[in-house]
Amino acid sequence: MSSNLDPAIAARLKRGPDGLVPAIAQQYDTGEVLMLGWMDDEALHRTLTTGRCTYWSRSRNEYWVKGDTSGHVQHVKSVALDCDADTLLVKVDQVGVACHTGARTCFDADVLPVSQ
C-alpha cells in the first residue's frame, strides 16, 4: 500500500512482518498509559498530519480514527520513536475513556502479581 508518510521517517521505521509498528498511547500530562494500537506508514502519516490518532485494525483490516464512533477522541500532543525504531509513543490528550471496555485505560483491570 502506498503512503504519504515522509520518506525520511518511513526509512527509519522497523516494522513487523505485517508492516505494522506498535503505538503506545499515553496521557501527555499525567504519564498514564492508556492503550496499545498498531500503525502502518499511512496510519502514522494520518496521525502526524491530522492531530488525531489513526490506527490499523488487525481484526477489521481497516483504518480507524480513535473516537470517530465512540466520541472518546485522542488529540495528539507528540509522537516519539523508541531507540530501536520499532515502537511509537504517542502522547495524547484523551477525551473520555481509552479502552473499548469502557475503562479509562486498557491496563488497569488485570494486574498480575509480582513476587518480591
Side-chain angles (χ1 to χ4, degrees), residues 56-64:
W56 176 255
S57 171
R58 297 180 300 167
S59 60
R60 295 187 312 260
N61 281 333
E62 65 184 16
Y63 295 103
W64 58 280

Side-chain angles (χ1 to χ4, degrees), residues 7-18:
I9 296 171
R12 296 176 58 199
L13 289 176
K14 292 182 185 167
R15 300 160 198 78
D18 55 6

Side-chain angles (χ1 to χ4, degrees), residues 40-58:
D40 65 2
D41 288 16
E42 183 60 21
L44 178 56
H45 166 72
R46 293 178 189 187
T47 297
L48 292 170
T49 58
T50 67
R52 296 262 316 274
C53 281
T54 300
Y55 298 101
W56 176 255
S57 171
R58 297 180 300 167

Side-chain angles (χ1 to χ4, degrees), residues 2 13 27 39 41 55 66 77 87-88 93 95-96 113 116:
S2 115
L13 289 176
Q27 179 63 34
M39 293 185 182
D41 288 16
Y55 298 101
K66 182 69 174 167
K77 297 293 187 176
T87 304
L88 298 165
D93 189 10
V95 176
Q116 297 296 321

